[in-house]
Amino acid sequence: MNAGKRLKNLSGLFAERKKDYKDGYKRHGDVIVALFPNGINQSNPVDAARFSLVTCLVIKLIRYCDNFDRGGHEDSLDDMAVYSQILQSYDKENESENSSNR
């Protein structure tokens, strides 16, 4: 498939996904700032990875809230469950580094 055809197909995918995803990405920064009013330390790979997982949770929570009036977004709830368990596991793997950064 050539690039033009692929891009045309992707525009259809964008329109389809926008129904569920809406424009939550526009509010993402506000949520992150509210969660971390003093900023966030990402000076090491562990904290950067932990922050990345938190942003995954925020994105899924926003998506769920954007669909609240439609009964939520089941896939986002499943994803949040998975991301939260990954984050918990990663935190436990790095407990000594997490406590030394405080």
Side-chain angles (χ1 to χ4, degrees), residues 11 20 23 36 38 60 63 68 74 83 101:
S11 72
D20 286 338
D23 64 352
F36 297 99
N38 299 320
K60 298 301 181 172
R63 188 165 301 152
F68 195 83
E74 187 174 343
Y83 285 127
N101 289 333

Side-chain angles (χ1 to χ4, degrees), residues 7 34 52-53 87 101:
L7 288 168
S52 176
L53 288 164
L87 181 56
N101 289 333

Side-chain angles (χ1 to χ4, degrees), residues 21-96:
Y21 298 177
K22 301 195 181 10
D23 64 352
Y25 64 91
K26 293 179 180 177
R27 295 185 315 282
H28 186 260
D30 292 330
V31 174
I32 293 296
V33 169
L35 291 173
F36 297 99
N38 299 320
I40 179 72
N41 176 17
Q42 295 184 67
S43 62
N44 63 70
V46 170
D47 285 343
R50 292 173 64 228
F51 179 73
S52 176
L53 288 164
V54 168
T55 63
C56 290
L57 287 163
V58 169
I59 290 165
K60 298 301 181 172
L61 182 59
I62 289 171
R63 188 165 301 152
Y64 179 87
C65 293
D66 280 345
N67 290 280
F68 195 83
D69 291 341
R70 294 171 47 198
H73 193 253
E74 187 174 343
D75 185 56
S76 290
L77 291 175
D78 291 343
D79 290 345
M80 282 190 287
V82 171
Y83 285 127
S84 67
Q85 293 306 301
I86 293 170
L87 181 56
Q88 182 181 52
S89 176
Y90 194 69
D91 282 349
K92 289 190 182 306
E93 288 173 23
N94 294 285
E95 279 179 341
S96 61

